[in-house]
Amino acid sequence: MPTGSSQPRSATGKKRQVKRNDSDDVELPARAPLPADANTKGLPTFPMELHLEILSYLPSVPIPCMQSGILPEEYRIKFDTIFALSQTCRVLYHLLKPLLWETLEACALRNPGHESQARMAQELVHWLEVVTIRTPALASYVCVFNVTLTAFSPRNVYKEFTRSLKLLPNLHTLQILASFPGNHEKDTCLSFLSDAFRPFRGDITLPTIHTLTLPVCVYENIVASDGHRIFPNLRHLNLTEIDQEYYPIIFPSCTQEIHSLQLSVFINLWDRHIQSFVNKFPHLRITPRLRIWYRRSSLESEAEFTRRYTTAVRKTFQTLSRLTRLHTIRLYIQTLTSRYGPTRKAVADSLFMDNACDDVKPTYTSKPNSLGIR
């Protein structure tokens, strides 16, 4: 006879004790109590670790998501799959319910067309109504919120969006993927969004959010001036839709204790703004993408060229050494002319020769011309 136990059993009929390592990165959702006549055979008896492993192969919105606008349909597959599985039996419903609502997404559409802006806004309002009005108990499950804000009815939609943020007590990651069709609509939407965030400029804050991804235009209008009050515990900042020459402007604005900064553009390693970048983010642990951009003249010998760029890069590394908590440097080596330039490995080797950087371990990634330094 089936019992009400939710733990898997071994061949001897004894309950298996699943050991969990406290250092694991993934926090497993707790199993909810099951009915006495629940199904305890087949897929529902799999341990939570196995369910997580299977579902990890489904496409999901990355964190950080450096894309903008309405995402393609493939990013709906994970939610749709988990939702379909949760409707097959009561055991899977209780098991997958925390996973289903852990990430709230209103950023992707099936068959986007000329009415995609309106459809995206309607879907956002629908899901916010589900988790905050119809079934408010679901709000406590939401930890990640991926949303695409459009230009459809911005005044009402943005107010509903900010109203719901206050009702998600465990939200720690917010990713805003804006979709504004033109400059005029963009300015209007930013004005409405700034008004929608106005209540947070008082005593109301969002202290649980520590990871924030948003376009630089939204950052400039909302977070740059009032971010320390709206997001007092922000630690990971990711900015999208940023122009190559724009990034120095953001350095004097951020006031939070940022540990990780990622931009949608590269920062040239010997850029004159590196100094202000280091001064503004003294608690940084992971740098944004730094680029070694070099070109060797046909009249320049390899020894002269190596000495020139090595001196420039090492001078920048000395500036970065002031970041006492820094443990990861994202370094990308770009070759403009392979005929006269050395390989990226030769560039990396020259950076660490003569024990210039103690205890530094360069790690080559699978991406071309990229190098990770820890």
Side-chain angles (χ1 to χ4, degrees):
M1 296 292 293
T3 65
S5 172
S6 62
Q7 294 187 10
R9 294 178 178 269
S10 63
T12 60
K14 296 182 179 180
K15 294 181 180 179
R16 286 202 309 267
Q17 297 296 328
V18 180
K19 295 183 179 180
R20 296 181 181 177
N21 190 345
D22 293 338
S23 63
D24 290 344
D25 294 332
V26 178
E27 183 178 350
L28 302 180
R31 286 177 180 265
L34 300 179
D37 59 344
N39 178 19
T40 56
K41 296 181 180 179
L43 182 63
T45 65
F46 287 5
M48 178 57 74
E49 292 86 349
L50 190 53
H51 284 287
L52 291 174
E53 179 66 22
I54 295 172
L55 295 174
S56 67
Y57 288 92
L58 297 175
S60 59
V61 179
I63 301 176
C65 180
M66 305 307 287
Q67 302 182 50
S68 301
I70 300 175
L71 300 182
E73 180 182 355
E74 63 181 276
Y75 291 109
R76 298 178 58 99
I77 294 177
K78 188 170 185 177
F79 177 85
D80 292 345
T81 302
I82 298 177
F83 179 79
L85 286 173
S86 68
Q87 301 303 301
T88 56
C89 70
R90 280 178 291 180
V91 175
L92 287 179
Y93 172 77
H94 287 275
L95 182 67
L96 298 177
K97 182 179 178 181
L99 292 176
L100 181 64
W101 298 105
E102 180 184 27
T103 301
L104 185 63
E105 293 182 343
C107 56
L109 285 178
R110 300 188 187 92
N111 304 319
H114 66 283
E115 296 182 352
S116 57
Q117 295 260 326
R119 289 170 55 199
M120 192 77 269
Q122 292 167 1
E123 181 165 325
L124 170 61
V125 174
H126 166 72
W127 288 121
L128 293 177
E129 181 181 351
V130 168
V131 299
T132 62
I133 298 177
R134 297 184 191 176
T135 316
L138 296 176
S140 61
Y141 291 110
V142 179
C143 298
V144 179
F145 192 3
N146 301 319
V147 54
T148 295
L149 299 179
T150 67
F152 179 81
S153 187
R155 183 193 299 271
N156 299 326
V157 173
Y158 295 172
K159 285 185 178 181
E160 178 65 14
F161 167 63
T162 55
R163 178 199 68 84
S164 301
L165 289 178
K166 298 178 291 185
L167 304 178
L168 305 176
N170 297 316
L171 181 67
H172 60 67
T173 299
L174 175 62
Q175 298 201 111
I176 299 177
L177 317 176
S179 177
F180 305 136
N183 291 331
H184 176 69
E185 291 83 355
K186 178 179 177 180
D187 293 339
T188 302
C189 291
L190 289 175
S191 176
F192 286 137
L193 189 59
S194 180
D195 292 340
F197 271 96
R198 194 176 303 279
F200 294 100
R201 294 181 172 91
D203 298 331
I204 303 175
T205 62
L206 299 172
T208 61
I209 294 181
H210 59 69
T211 300
L212 183 63
T213 302
L214 71 172
V216 70
C217 59
V218 178
Y219 168 86
E220 186 181 25
N221 282 268
I222 299 173
V223 183
S225 58
D226 299 294
H228 61 289
R229 291 193 291 267
I230 302 175
F231 309 100
N233 297 318
L234 184 64
R235 295 295 178 265
H236 308 283
L237 178 63
N238 312 296
L239 300 179
T240 64
E241 297 184 7
I242 190 169
D243 295 332
Q244 184 66 47
E245 299 301 326
Y246 184 89
Y247 66 80
I249 302 176
I250 72 171
F251 293 163
S253 303
C254 185
T255 58
Q256 290 96 328
E257 187 178 327
I258 301 299
H259 293 170
S260 172
L261 175 68
Q262 185 160 335
L263 310 177
S264 57
V265 296
F266 292 98
I267 297 180
N268 292 328
L269 198 57
W270 39 69
D271 198 293
R272 64 185 183 278
H273 301 288
I274 285 288
Q275 184 72 35
S276 61
F277 160 74
V278 171
N279 293 336
K280 196 56 194 177
F281 300 96
H283 305 287
L284 204 65
R285 301 179 182 181
I286 303 176
T287 69
R289 299 177 300 173
L290 305 178
R291 177 174 61 179
I292 296 183
W293 183 91
Y294 63 89
R295 172 179 292 180
R296 176 186 168 191
S297 169
S298 59
L299 302 178
E300 189 176 25
S301 68
E302 183 173 348
E304 293 173 340
F305 175 61
T306 301
R307 188 184 312 110
R308 176 169 60 85
Y309 73 70
T310 300
T311 301
V313 172
R314 287 186 175 181
K315 183 180 297 185
T316 304
F317 272 25
Q318 290 176 357
T319 304
L320 293 177
S321 66
R322 294 170 48 196
L323 300 173
T324 58
R325 301 183 182 182
L326 185 65
H327 61 70
T328 299
I329 300 175
R330 298 191 187 107
L331 182 62
Y332 289 73
I333 302 174
Q334 179 178 357
T335 307
L336 296 184
T337 167
S338 58
R339 178 180 178 184
Y340 300 113
T343 63
R344 67 187 180 102
K345 187 176 187 306
V347 175
D349 291 342
S350 66
L351 298 179
F352 309 111
M353 63 184 180
D354 300 330
N355 299 321
C357 301
D358 297 333
D359 301 327
V360 174
K361 298 179 180 179
T363 304
Y364 295 95
T365 68
S366 58
K367 298 180 181 180
N369 296 331
S370 62
L371 173 71
I373 303 175
R374 302 186 68 86

